Amino acid sequence: MRRAFEKSCLNAIPPSAVPGMRNRRERLHPAGLLFKVCRVMTELARVVVTVGGVVLIVGVLSDAVATLIVTQGSASLWRPTRLFYASTWRATRAVAARLPDRPGEYALNVYPALSLLGLLVLWLAGLMLGWSLVYWGLDQRLGGTRDFGTLVYYAGTSLVTPVFGSAHGGLVRMLTLLETLTGLVTIALMISYLPALYGAYSRREARLLTLDDPSGERITPVRVIALNAPGGDVEMLYRSFAEWEMWTADVLESHVSYPMLALFRSQHPGQSWVTALGVITDAATLTSACVEGARNREPYFLYRRGQRAVLEISDRLHVPKAGTPVSWLIEANFEIAWRLLVDTGLPLREKAVAWADLQSLRSAYGDDLERLIEFLVAPHGFWGHSAQATVAGEVAQAASEARKKARAG
């Protein structure tokens, strides 16, 4: 490519520019300024391409490290991981929303695992292109040629094993070793990352199996309170909230560190980590607002942890803030919940004060919770593991409505 560029520069010099010379090369000497300009432009292009290749390699490696190792990963717009997940998740949601029920759910279920494989391929492709640009910019001869297609092939094969048979010269062999090291490190990072990811997933899902209602109905915040406070036993209720606070803290830490974990769906229909988070956080909020003395105990601690989890996970997933989602917190629903709370025998505050406090507490996270649920195409509601057979139709309807909302969005 460089030779062709120099040849075109030579041809651009007319023979009449230097009369009396026997050939074009001799005529070049008096008109050498143009030739020198062409050489400078060629060298400048090589420098630009080399720098571009180095920047691409460093960018890909830094993105892999920020995604798989650094727990406070950058959320810059240029990051390949962010661009990859933003585009592929949007496309997957759109496709799943238009497919029938079972294929649509299958697409949402397999996406997280496939996205990890796609992310690795994206990083390796970026490294291959970056090293190809470096080889071309440094004017390295591989296999007797400087053709860019050959350089791309060489860079691709050198990512996982050094190819010395085609490399001539100390510089290109050193670069080949360095390229192989970057490829192997990227693959090793992904492999070592998987156990941590699936370990966090298992802890999250195991706890969800304990969120159950013997009646087989959809689990609501007020039912969580009633089931964990038999006979108005407030201390037993607080112990339950303390256990769920630890689960919420684990979800907060793992899903902020590895946001793609939020896209992994539960194995059981009608269950989702985000709706479970909503149910227990709403239960803690309801208790903090309505039960006397709860603002100084475990319910309020769980409320704080749940609120932070909703806001920080939404921020790491870049959930759109557009629109005002529909909230269940209306006075008619509060009247129903209040009557059920009265039946539990718990010490309650004055009703009007509790209603005002409940509105204030939930406004801190309510809209973000609804947006997060819709962003993840999760069913609005949570059904216990033991109730699957009795509420299969209700669960299927909720999942279908979630996909319809994704299509509308």
Side-chain angles (χ1 to χ4, degrees), residues 200-208 243-259 261-262 272-278 280-281 302 305-306 308-310 312-314 316 372 376:
Y201 173 80
S202 297
R203 293 194 305 272
R204 186 189 78 185
E205 295 301 308
R207 182 62 179 169
L208 293 186
E243 294 172 358
W244 279 106
E245 183 190 356
M246 297 303 298
W247 177 85
T248 304
D250 187 43
V251 168
L252 171 60
E253 186 276 333
S254 58
H255 289 55
V256 170
S257 299
Y258 311 116
L261 183 58
S272 171
W273 72 268
V274 66
T275 51
L277 177 63
I280 62 170
T281 303
L302 175 55
R305 220 69 62 224
R308 183 177 177 185
V310 169
E312 292 196 16
I313 294 173
S314 297
R316 291 290 281 126
L372 181 58
L376 297 175

mmCIF file of all heavy atoms in Angstrom, residues 200-208 243-259 261-262 272-278 280-281 302 305-306 308-310 312-314 316 372 376:
data_model
loop_
_atom_site.group_PDB
_atom_site.id
_atom_site.type_symbol
_atom_site.label_atom_id
_atom_site.label_comp_id
_atom_site.label_asym_id
_atom_site.label_seq_id
_atom_site.Cartn_x
_atom_site.Cartn_y
_atom_site.Cartn_z
ATOM 1 N N ALA A 200 -23.132 -15.746 42.554
ATOM 2 C CA ALA A 200 -24.051 -14.691 42.973
ATOM 3 C C ALA A 200 -25.476 -15.005 42.513
ATOM 4 O O ALA A 200 -26.445 -14.748 43.243
ATOM 5 C CB ALA A 200 -23.593 -13.349 42.410
ATOM 6 N N TYR A 201 -25.607 -15.583 41.334
ATOM 7 C CA TYR A 201 -26.937 -15.955 40.835
ATOM 8 C C TYR A 201 -27.578 -17.026 41.727
ATOM 9 O O TYR A 201 -28.763 -16.941 42.064
ATOM 10 C CB TYR A 201 -26.819 -16.469 39.402
ATOM 11 C CG TYR A 201 -28.104 -17.030 38.838
ATOM 12 C CD1 TYR A 201 -29.089 -16.187 38.337
ATOM 13 C CD2 TYR A 201 -28.338 -18.401 38.821
ATOM 14 C CE1 TYR A 201 -30.262 -16.699 37.818
ATOM 15 C CE2 TYR A 201 -29.511 -18.921 38.311
ATOM 16 C CZ TYR A 201 -30.475 -18.064 37.814
ATOM 17 O OH TYR A 201 -31.650 -18.580 37.319
ATOM 18 N N SER A 202 -26.804 -18.021 42.127
ATOM 19 C CA SER A 202 -27.344 -19.095 42.965
ATOM 20 C C SER A 202 -27.795 -18.574 44.323
ATOM 21 O O SER A 202 -28.854 -18.964 44.826
ATOM 22 C CB SER A 202 -26.294 -20.195 43.146
ATOM 23 O OG SER A 202 -25.965 -20.786 41.901
ATOM 24 N N ARG A 203 -27.003 -17.693 44.933
ATOM 25 C CA ARG A 203 -27.400 -17.125 46.225
ATOM 26 C C ARG A 203 -28.697 -16.322 46.092
ATOM 27 O O ARG A 203 -29.569 -16.387 46.961
ATOM 28 C CB ARG A 203 -26.290 -16.229 46.773
ATOM 29 C CG ARG A 203 -25.023 -16.945 47.152
ATOM 30 C CD ARG A 203 -24.119 -16.047 47.994
ATOM 31 N NE ARG A 203 -23.831 -14.777 47.340
ATOM 32 C CZ ARG A 203 -22.818 -14.589 46.501
ATOM 33 N NH1 ARG A 203 -22.021 -15.597 46.180
ATOM 34 N NH2 ARG A 203 -22.598 -13.389 45.977
ATOM 35 N N ARG A 204 -28.802 -15.588 45.024
ATOM 36 C CA ARG A 204 -30.001 -14.775 44.808
ATOM 37 C C ARG A 204 -31.243 -15.646 44.647
ATOM 38 O O ARG A 204 -32.275 -15.399 45.265
ATOM 39 C CB ARG A 204 -29.800 -13.918 43.551
ATOM 40 C CG ARG A 204 -30.905 -12.932 43.281
ATOM 41 C CD ARG A 204 -30.729 -12.294 41.923
ATOM 42 N NE ARG A 204 -31.161 -13.180 40.839
ATOM 43 C CZ ARG A 204 -31.017 -12.897 39.549
ATOM 44 N NH1 ARG A 204 -30.400 -11.794 39.175
ATOM 45 N NH2 ARG A 204 -31.460 -13.748 38.636
ATOM 46 N N GLU A 205 -31.134 -16.694 43.843
ATOM 47 C CA GLU A 205 -32.304 -17.510 43.533
ATOM 48 C C GLU A 205 -32.706 -18.415 44.693
ATOM 49 O O GLU A 205 -33.888 -18.687 44.891
ATOM 50 C CB GLU A 205 -32.034 -18.346 42.280
ATOM 51 C CG GLU A 205 -31.841 -17.514 41.030
ATOM 52 C CD GLU A 205 -33.048 -16.649 40.726
ATOM 53 O OE1 GLU A 205 -34.157 -17.189 40.672
ATOM 54 O OE2 GLU A 205 -32.874 -15.430 40.554
ATOM 55 N N ALA A 206 -31.724 -18.918 45.465
ATOM 56 C CA ALA A 206 -32.050 -19.808 46.579
ATOM 57 C C ALA A 206 -32.931 -19.095 47.597
ATOM 58 O O ALA A 206 -33.874 -19.683 48.145
ATOM 59 C CB ALA A 206 -30.773 -20.326 47.227
ATOM 60 N N ARG A 207 -32.646 -17.840 47.857
ATOM 61 C CA ARG A 207 -33.433 -17.082 48.831
ATOM 62 C C ARG A 207 -34.851 -16.829 48.337
ATOM 63 O O ARG A 207 -35.803 -16.771 49.140
ATOM 64 C CB ARG A 207 -32.729 -15.753 49.134
ATOM 65 C CG ARG A 207 -33.421 -14.891 50.174
ATOM 66 C CD ARG A 207 -33.506 -15.575 51.517
ATOM 67 N NE ARG A 207 -34.142 -14.744 52.512
ATOM 68 C CZ ARG A 207 -34.538 -15.155 53.705
ATOM 69 N NH1 ARG A 207 -34.337 -16.415 54.057
ATOM 70 N NH2 ARG A 207 -35.112 -14.331 54.560
ATOM 71 N N LEU A 208 -35.019 -16.713 47.018
ATOM 72 C CA LEU A 208 -36.357 -16.447 46.482
ATOM 73 C C LEU A 208 -37.320 -17.603 46.761
ATOM 74 O O LEU A 208 -38.531 -17.395 46.850
ATOM 75 C CB LEU A 208 -36.284 -16.208 44.971
ATOM 76 C CG LEU A 208 -35.552 -14.943 44.506
ATOM 77 C CD1 LEU A 208 -35.706 -14.780 43.004
ATOM 78 C CD2 LEU A 208 -36.079 -13.708 45.231
ATOM 79 N N GLU A 243 -33.209 -10.749 58.014
ATOM 80 C CA GLU A 243 -32.695 -11.743 57.079
ATOM 81 C C GLU A 243 -32.803 -11.250 55.632
ATOM 82 O O GLU A 243 -31.870 -11.426 54.839
ATOM 83 C CB GLU A 243 -33.463 -13.057 57.252
ATOM 84 C CG GLU A 243 -33.235 -13.718 58.610
ATOM 85 C CD GLU A 243 -34.143 -14.910 58.826
ATOM 86 O OE1 GLU A 243 -34.973 -15.183 57.913
ATOM 87 O OE2 GLU A 243 -34.041 -15.565 59.884
ATOM 88 N N TRP A 244 -33.918 -10.631 55.313
ATOM 89 C CA TRP A 244 -34.080 -10.120 53.950
ATOM 90 C C TRP A 244 -33.178 -8.918 53.697
ATOM 91 O O TRP A 244 -32.804 -8.637 52.551
ATOM 92 C CB TRP A 244 -35.540 -9.749 53.692
ATOM 93 C CG TRP A 244 -36.380 -10.937 53.341
ATOM 94 C CD1 TRP A 244 -37.302 -11.561 54.135
ATOM 95 C CD2 TRP A 244 -36.356 -11.660 52.114
ATOM 96 N NE1 TRP A 244 -37.854 -12.635 53.472
ATOM 97 C CE2 TRP A 244 -37.288 -12.712 52.227
ATOM 98 C CE3 TRP A 244 -35.628 -11.535 50.937
ATOM 99 C CZ2 TRP A 244 -37.515 -13.617 51.185
ATOM 100 C CZ3 TRP A 244 -35.852 -12.436 49.898
ATOM 101 C CH2 TRP A 244 -36.782 -13.463 50.039
ATOM 102 N N GLU A 245 -32.813 -8.206 54.734
ATOM 103 C CA GLU A 245 -31.870 -7.099 54.548
ATOM 104 C C GLU A 245 -30.519 -7.619 54.070
ATOM 105 O O GLU A 245 -29.866 -7.001 53.212
ATOM 106 C CB GLU A 245 -31.693 -6.320 55.850
ATOM 107 C CG GLU A 245 -30.774 -5.113 55.701
ATOM 108 C CD GLU A 245 -30.402 -4.492 57.028
ATOM 109 O OE1 GLU A 245 -30.902 -4.933 58.076
ATOM 110 O OE2 GLU A 245 -29.572 -3.552 57.012
ATOM 111 N N MET A 246 -30.073 -8.758 54.600
ATOM 112 C CA MET A 246 -28.809 -9.339 54.159
ATOM 113 C C MET A 246 -28.898 -9.767 52.691
ATOM 114 O O MET A 246 -27.946 -9.575 51.921
ATOM 115 C CB MET A 246 -28.446 -10.537 55.044
ATOM 116 C CG MET A 246 -28.215 -10.173 56.506
ATOM 117 S SD MET A 246 -26.919 -8.915 56.692
ATOM 118 C CE MET A 246 -25.509 -9.782 56.017
ATOM 119 N N TRP A 247 -30.033 -10.344 52.300
ATOM 120 C CA TRP A 247 -30.215 -10.714 50.892
ATOM 121 C C TRP A 247 -30.196 -9.479 50.004
ATOM 122 O O TRP A 247 -29.567 -9.462 48.929
ATOM 123 C CB TRP A 247 -31.535 -11.468 50.729
ATOM 124 C CG TRP A 247 -31.856 -11.840 49.305
ATOM 125 C CD1 TRP A 247 -31.429 -12.946 48.625
ATOM 126 C CD2 TRP A 247 -32.677 -11.103 48.383
ATOM 127 N NE1 TRP A 247 -31.934 -12.943 47.346
ATOM 128 C CE2 TRP A 247 -32.709 -11.832 47.173
ATOM 129 C CE3 TRP A 247 -33.403 -9.920 48.470
ATOM 130 C CZ2 TRP A 247 -33.422 -11.397 46.052
ATOM 131 C CZ3 TRP A 247 -34.108 -9.482 47.362
ATOM 132 C CH2 TRP A 247 -34.127 -10.216 46.171
ATOM 133 N N THR A 248 -30.862 -8.420 50.434
ATOM 134 C CA THR A 248 -30.897 -7.183 49.657
ATOM 135 C C THR A 248 -29.511 -6.581 49.519
ATOM 136 O O THR A 248 -29.129 -6.092 48.448
ATOM 137 C CB THR A 248 -31.846 -6.171 50.324
ATOM 138 O OG1 THR A 248 -33.142 -6.756 50.477
ATOM 139 C CG2 THR A 248 -31.965 -4.906 49.490
ATOM 140 N N ALA A 249 -28.729 -6.621 50.589
ATOM 141 C CA ALA A 249 -27.365 -6.100 50.528
ATOM 142 C C ALA A 249 -26.513 -6.913 49.557
ATOM 143 O O ALA A 249 -25.689 -6.353 48.814
ATOM 144 C CB ALA A 249 -26.739 -6.109 51.920
ATOM 145 N N ASP A 250 -26.705 -8.229 49.538
ATOM 146 C CA ASP A 250 -25.968 -9.079 48.613
ATOM 147 C C ASP A 250 -26.358 -8.772 47.173
ATOM 148 O O ASP A 250 -25.499 -8.713 46.278
ATOM 149 C CB ASP A 250 -26.232 -10.545 48.938
ATOM 150 C CG ASP A 250 -25.370 -11.490 48.116
ATOM 151 O OD1 ASP A 250 -24.169 -11.213 47.954
ATOM 152 O OD2 ASP A 250 -25.903 -12.501 47.610
ATOM 153 N N VAL A 251 -27.650 -8.595 46.921
ATOM 154 C CA VAL A 251 -28.113 -8.235 45.574
ATOM 155 C C VAL A 251 -27.553 -6.878 45.163
ATOM 156 O O VAL A 251 -27.098 -6.690 44.025
ATOM 157 C CB VAL A 251 -29.655 -8.228 45.519
ATOM 158 C CG1 VAL A 251 -30.161 -7.583 44.233
ATOM 159 C CG2 VAL A 251 -30.192 -9.646 45.641
ATOM 160 N N LEU A 252 -27.563 -5.923 46.069
ATOM 161 C CA LEU A 252 -27.030 -4.595 45.772
ATOM 162 C C LEU A 252 -25.554 -4.676 45.386
ATOM 163 O O LEU A 252 -25.129 -4.111 44.365
ATOM 164 C CB LEU A 252 -27.209 -3.688 46.991
ATOM 165 C CG LEU A 252 -26.512 -2.318 46.949
ATOM 166 C CD1 LEU A 252 -27.007 -1.491 45.783
ATOM 167 C CD2 LEU A 252 -26.725 -1.583 48.274
ATOM 168 N N GLU A 253 -24.770 -5.398 46.178
ATOM 169 C CA GLU A 253 -23.330 -5.478 45.907
ATOM 170 C C GLU A 253 -23.045 -6.207 44.594
ATOM 171 O O GLU A 253 -22.248 -5.742 43.764
ATOM 172 C CB GLU A 253 -22.643 -6.187 47.072
ATOM 173 C CG GLU A 253 -21.122 -6.214 46.994
ATOM 174 C CD GLU A 253 -20.587 -7.349 46.141
ATOM 175 O OE1 GLU A 253 -21.284 -8.380 46.027
ATOM 176 O OE2 GLU A 253 -19.496 -7.204 45.567
ATOM 177 N N SER A 254 -23.694 -7.341 44.362
ATOM 178 C CA SER A 254 -23.389 -8.157 43.182
ATOM 179 C C SER A 254 -23.917 -7.535 41.896
ATOM 180 O O SER A 254 -23.238 -7.550 40.861
ATOM 181 C CB SER A 254 -23.959 -9.568 43.359
ATOM 182 O OG SER A 254 -25.368 -9.526 43.571
ATOM 183 N N HIS A 255 -25.116 -6.946 41.937
ATOM 184 C CA HIS A 255 -25.714 -6.427 40.711
ATOM 185 C C HIS A 255 -25.157 -5.063 40.317
ATOM 186 O O HIS A 255 -25.240 -4.684 39.150
ATOM 187 C CB HIS A 255 -27.233 -6.362 40.858
ATOM 188 C CG HIS A 255 -27.886 -7.712 40.864
ATOM 189 N ND1 HIS A 255 -27.528 -8.700 41.737
ATOM 190 C CD2 HIS A 255 -28.871 -8.232 40.089
ATOM 191 C CE1 HIS A 255 -28.269 -9.773 41.508
ATOM 192 N NE2 HIS A 255 -29.077 -9.519 40.511
ATOM 193 N N VAL A 256 -24.605 -4.336 41.269
ATOM 194 C CA VAL A 256 -23.916 -3.095 40.915
ATOM 195 C C VAL A 256 -22.523 -3.403 40.374
ATOM 196 O O VAL A 256 -22.047 -2.764 39.433
ATOM 197 C CB VAL A 256 -23.840 -2.151 42.129
ATOM 198 C CG1 VAL A 256 -22.919 -0.978 41.862
ATOM 199 C CG2 VAL A 256 -25.234 -1.623 42.461
ATOM 200 N N SER A 257 -21.858 -4.406 40.956
ATOM 201 C CA SER A 257 -20.535 -4.799 40.470
ATOM 202 C C SER A 257 -20.619 -5.473 39.111
ATOM 203 O O SER A 257 -19.791 -5.220 38.229
ATOM 204 C CB SER A 257 -19.874 -5.752 41.476
ATOM 205 O OG SER A 257 -19.703 -5.136 42.728
ATOM 206 N N TYR A 258 -21.612 -6.329 38.908
ATOM 207 C CA TYR A 258 -21.790 -7.065 37.658
ATOM 208 C C TYR A 258 -23.209 -6.846 37.147
ATOM 209 O O TYR A 258 -24.096 -7.685 37.349
ATOM 210 C CB TYR A 258 -21.526 -8.559 37.868
ATOM 211 C CG TYR A 258 -20.231 -8.853 38.588
ATOM 212 C CD1 TYR A 258 -20.228 -9.469 39.828
ATOM 213 C CD2 TYR A 258 -19.009 -8.495 38.016
ATOM 214 C CE1 TYR A 258 -19.028 -9.731 40.483
ATOM 215 C CE2 TYR A 258 -17.816 -8.749 38.669
ATOM 216 C CZ TYR A 258 -17.833 -9.380 39.901
ATOM 217 O OH TYR A 258 -16.651 -9.629 40.550
ATOM 218 N N PRO A 259 -23.468 -5.721 36.509
ATOM 219 C CA PRO A 259 -24.852 -5.376 36.144
ATOM 220 C C PRO A 259 -25.509 -6.362 35.187
ATOM 221 O O PRO A 259 -26.737 -6.473 35.177
ATOM 222 C CB PRO A 259 -24.715 -3.984 35.512
ATOM 223 C CG PRO A 259 -23.279 -3.808 35.205
ATOM 224 C CD PRO A 259 -22.525 -4.646 36.182
ATOM 225 N N LEU A 261 -25.699 -9.370 35.548
ATOM 226 C CA LEU A 261 -26.361 -10.379 36.372
ATOM 227 C C LEU A 261 -27.851 -10.082 36.508
ATOM 228 O O LEU A 261 -28.661 -11.006 36.683
ATOM 229 C CB LEU A 261 -25.697 -10.425 37.752
ATOM 230 C CG LEU A 261 -26.173 -11.463 38.752
ATOM 231 C CD1 LEU A 261 -26.017 -12.872 38.193
ATOM 232 C CD2 LEU A 261 -25.408 -11.337 40.059
ATOM 233 N N ALA A 262 -28.231 -8.818 36.422
ATOM 234 C CA ALA A 262 -29.640 -8.453 36.529
ATOM 235 C C ALA A 262 -30.469 -9.030 35.390
ATOM 236 O O ALA A 262 -31.685 -9.207 35.525
ATOM 237 C CB ALA A 262 -29.790 -6.931 36.558
ATOM 238 N N SER A 272 -39.142 -13.414 40.001
ATOM 239 C CA SER A 272 -38.099 -12.538 39.483
ATOM 240 C C SER A 272 -37.444 -11.838 40.657
ATOM 241 O O SER A 272 -38.124 -11.440 41.606
ATOM 242 C CB SER A 272 -38.685 -11.502 38.520
ATOM 243 O OG SER A 272 -37.718 -10.530 38.171
ATOM 244 N N TRP A 273 -36.142 -11.695 40.574
ATOM 245 C CA TRP A 273 -35.433 -11.053 41.682
ATOM 246 C C TRP A 273 -35.900 -9.611 41.869
ATOM 247 O O TRP A 273 -35.967 -9.126 43.000
ATOM 248 C CB TRP A 273 -33.935 -11.087 41.431
ATOM 249 C CG TRP A 273 -33.467 -10.160 40.336
ATOM 250 C CD1 TRP A 273 -33.326 -10.461 39.014
ATOM 251 C CD2 TRP A 273 -33.117 -8.779 40.478
ATOM 252 N NE1 TRP A 273 -32.913 -9.353 38.315
ATOM 253 C CE2 TRP A 273 -32.770 -8.304 39.187
ATOM 254 C CE3 TRP A 273 -33.069 -7.897 41.557
ATOM 255 C CZ2 TRP A 273 -32.374 -6.992 38.951
ATOM 256 C CZ3 TRP A 273 -32.674 -6.579 41.333
ATOM 257 C CH2 TRP A 273 -32.332 -6.149 40.039
ATOM 258 N N VAL A 274 -36.227 -8.912 40.780
ATOM 259 C CA VAL A 274 -36.600 -7.511 40.904
ATOM 260 C C VAL A 274 -37.995 -7.346 41.506
ATOM 261 O O VAL A 274 -38.225 -6.428 42.314
ATOM 262 C CB VAL A 274 -36.493 -6.800 39.540
ATOM 263 C CG1 VAL A 274 -37.513 -7.325 38.533
ATOM 264 C CG2 VAL A 274 -36.646 -5.298 39.708
ATOM 265 N N THR A 275 -38.929 -8.248 41.180
ATOM 266 C CA THR A 275 -40.248 -8.154 41.814
ATOM 267 C C THR A 275 -40.184 -8.601 43.272
ATOM 268 O O THR A 275 -40.906 -8.071 44.121
ATOM 269 C CB THR A 275 -41.277 -8.997 41.045
ATOM 270 O OG1 THR A 275 -40.772 -10.328 40.860
ATOM 271 C CG2 THR A 275 -41.562 -8.392 39.690
ATOM 272 N N ALA A 276 -39.304 -9.569 43.579
ATOM 273 C CA ALA A 276 -39.109 -9.952 44.978
ATOM 274 C C ALA A 276 -38.522 -8.788 45.763
ATOM 275 O O ALA A 276 -38.941 -8.515 46.895
ATOM 276 C CB ALA A 276 -38.195 -11.170 45.068
ATOM 277 N N LEU A 277 -37.561 -8.101 45.172
ATOM 278 C CA LEU A 277 -36.989 -6.918 45.821
ATOM 279 C C LEU A 277 -38.070 -5.871 46.065
ATOM 280 O O LEU A 277 -38.114 -5.242 47.123
ATOM 281 C CB LEU A 277 -35.876 -6.339 44.947
ATOM 282 C CG LEU A 277 -35.211 -5.044 45.436
ATOM 283 C CD1 LEU A 277 -34.507 -5.273 46.766
ATOM 284 C CD2 LEU A 277 -34.227 -4.522 44.398
ATOM 285 N N GLY A 278 -38.958 -5.711 45.084
ATOM 286 C CA GLY A 278 -40.046 -4.757 45.261
ATOM 287 C C GLY A 278 -40.997 -5.151 46.363
ATOM 288 O O GLY A 278 -41.437 -4.302 47.155
ATOM 289 N N ILE A 280 -40.516 -7.120 49.099
ATOM 290 C CA ILE A 280 -39.987 -7.031 50.466
ATOM 291 C C ILE A 280 -39.663 -5.575 50.841
ATOM 292 O O ILE A 280 -39.807 -5.186 52.007
ATOM 293 C CB ILE A 280 -38.751 -7.932 50.649
ATOM 294 C CG1 ILE A 280 -37.611 -7.498 49.735
ATOM 295 C CG2 ILE A 280 -39.110 -9.387 50.412
ATOM 296 C CD1 ILE A 280 -36.298 -8.179 50.027
ATOM 297 N N THR A 281 -39.234 -4.778 49.857
ATOM 298 C CA THR A 281 -38.981 -3.362 50.154
ATOM 299 C C THR A 281 -40.284 -2.642 50.438
ATOM 300 O O THR A 281 -40.366 -1.815 51.366
ATOM 301 C CB THR A 281 -38.248 -2.693 48.983
ATOM 302 O OG1 THR A 281 -37.030 -3.389 48.715
ATOM 303 C CG2 THR A 281 -37.914 -1.245 49.314
ATOM 304 N N LEU A 302 -34.149 -2.211 56.286
ATOM 305 C CA LEU A 302 -34.421 -2.885 55.016
ATOM 306 C C LEU A 302 -34.946 -1.894 53.977
ATOM 307 O O LEU A 302 -34.583 -1.971 52.794
ATOM 308 C CB LEU A 302 -35.429 -4.022 55.226
ATOM 309 C CG LEU A 302 -35.914 -4.743 53.958
ATOM 310 C CD1 LEU A 302 -34.733 -5.273 53.143
ATOM 311 C CD2 LEU A 302 -36.872 -5.873 54.327
ATOM 312 N N ARG A 305 -31.979 -0.093 52.609
ATOM 313 C CA ARG A 305 -31.181 -0.947 51.737
ATOM 314 C C ARG A 305 -31.899 -1.196 50.417
ATOM 315 O O ARG A 305 -31.293 -1.159 49.345
ATOM 316 C CB ARG A 305 -30.886 -2.275 52.431
ATOM 317 C CG ARG A 305 -29.498 -2.805 52.214
ATOM 318 C CD ARG A 305 -28.449 -1.964 52.893
ATOM 319 N NE ARG A 305 -28.666 -1.966 54.333
ATOM 320 C CZ ARG A 305 -28.605 -0.875 55.101
ATOM 321 N NH1 ARG A 305 -28.360 0.305 54.557
ATOM 322 N NH2 ARG A 305 -28.778 -0.933 56.404
ATOM 323 N N GLY A 306 -33.206 -1.439 50.461
ATOM 324 C CA GLY A 306 -33.967 -1.687 49.234
ATOM 325 C C GLY A 306 -34.034 -0.464 48.340
ATOM 326 O O GLY A 306 -33.921 -0.568 47.111
ATOM 327 N N ARG A 308 -31.852 1.957 48.136
ATOM 328 C CA ARG A 308 -30.541 2.146 47.510
ATOM 329 C C ARG A 308 -30.308 1.121 46.411
ATOM 330 O O ARG A 308 -29.736 1.451 45.358
ATOM 331 C CB ARG A 308 -29.450 2.040 48.576
ATOM 332 C CG ARG A 308 -28.059 2.282 48.033
ATOM 333 C CD ARG A 308 -27.018 2.244 49.128
ATOM 334 N NE ARG A 308 -25.674 2.406 48.590
ATOM 335 C CZ ARG A 308 -24.572 2.325 49.318
ATOM 336 N NH1 ARG A 308 -24.661 2.096 50.631
ATOM 337 N NH2 ARG A 308 -23.381 2.465 48.753
ATOM 338 N N ALA A 309 -30.736 -0.121 46.630
ATOM 339 C CA ALA A 309 -30.561 -1.153 45.610
ATOM 340 C C ALA A 309 -31.310 -0.794 44.335
ATOM 341 O O ALA A 309 -30.770 -0.915 43.225
ATOM 342 C CB ALA A 309 -31.034 -2.504 46.144
ATOM 343 N N VAL A 310 -32.549 -0.352 44.460
ATOM 344 C CA VAL A 310 -33.338 0.014 43.282
ATOM 345 C C VAL A 310 -32.671 1.150 42.511
ATOM 346 O O VAL A 310 -32.518 1.097 41.283
ATOM 347 C CB VAL A 310 -34.768 0.409 43.694
ATOM 348 C CG1 VAL A 310 -35.517 1.048 42.524
ATOM 349 C CG2 VAL A 310 -35.527 -0.808 44.202
ATOM 350 N N GLU A 312 -29.455 2.357 42.639
ATOM 351 C CA GLU A 312 -28.115 2.120 42.102
ATOM 352 C C GLU A 312 -28.120 1.098 40.974
ATOM 353 O O GLU A 312 -27.387 1.250 39.986
ATOM 354 C CB GLU A 312 -27.177 1.680 43.226
ATOM 355 C CG GLU A 312 -26.894 2.773 44.242
ATOM 356 C CD GLU A 312 -25.681 2.470 45.107
ATOM 357 O OE1 GLU A 312 -24.886 1.576 44.731
ATOM 358 O OE2 GLU A 312 -25.521 3.126 46.150
ATOM 359 N N ILE A 313 -28.928 0.058 41.089
ATOM 360 C CA ILE A 313 -28.991 -0.925 40.010
ATOM 361 C C ILE A 313 -29.611 -0.297 38.767
ATOM 362 O O ILE A 313 -29.152 -0.540 37.635
ATOM 363 C CB ILE A 313 -29.777 -2.170 40.465
ATOM 364 C CG1 ILE A 313 -29.010 -2.897 41.577
ATOM 365 C CG2 ILE A 313 -30.004 -3.119 39.299
ATOM 366 C CD1 ILE A 313 -29.769 -4.039 42.209
ATOM 367 N N SER A 314 -30.636 0.514 38.937
ATOM 368 C CA SER A 314 -31.227 1.208 37.791
ATOM 369 C C SER A 314 -30.203 2.097 37.106
ATOM 370 O O SER A 314 -30.150 2.184 35.868
ATOM 371 C CB SER A 314 -32.428 2.043 38.242
ATOM 372 O OG SER A 314 -33.456 1.229 38.760
ATOM 373 N N ARG A 316 -26.874 1.695 37.115
ATOM 374 C CA ARG A 316 -25.855 0.880 36.442
ATOM 375 C C ARG A 316 -26.384 0.247 35.164
ATOM 376 O O ARG A 316 -25.633 0.021 34.217
ATOM 377 C CB ARG A 316 -25.345 -0.213 37.386
ATOM 378 C CG ARG A 316 -24.533 0.291 38.524
ATOM 379 C CD ARG A 316 -23.164 0.816 38.071
ATOM 380 N NE ARG A 316 -22.238 -0.286 37.833
ATOM 381 C CZ ARG A 316 -21.569 -0.484 36.706
ATOM 382 N NH1 ARG A 316 -21.738 0.328 35.691
ATOM 383 N NH2 ARG A 316 -20.732 -1.487 36.573
ATOM 384 N N LEU A 372 -37.674 -0.154 36.442
ATOM 385 C CA LEU A 372 -36.721 -1.264 36.429
ATOM 386 C C LEU A 372 -37.428 -2.575 36.103
ATOM 387 O O LEU A 372 -36.907 -3.393 35.323
ATOM 388 C CB LEU A 372 -36.016 -1.352 37.787
ATOM 389 C CG LEU A 372 -34.962 -2.448 37.951
ATOM 390 C CD1 LEU A 372 -33.858 -2.305 36.899
ATOM 391 C CD2 LEU A 372 -34.370 -2.410 39.358
ATOM 392 N N LEU A 376 -36.639 -4.815 32.607
ATOM 393 C CA LEU A 376 -36.213 -6.212 32.631
ATOM 394 C C LEU A 376 -37.286 -7.170 32.127
ATOM 395 O O LEU A 376 -37.087 -8.387 32.152
ATOM 396 C CB LEU A 376 -35.793 -6.596 34.050
ATOM 397 C CG LEU A 376 -34.586 -5.842 34.618
ATOM 398 C CD1 LEU A 376 -34.344 -6.217 36.069
ATOM 399 C CD2 LEU A 376 -33.343 -6.103 33.778
#
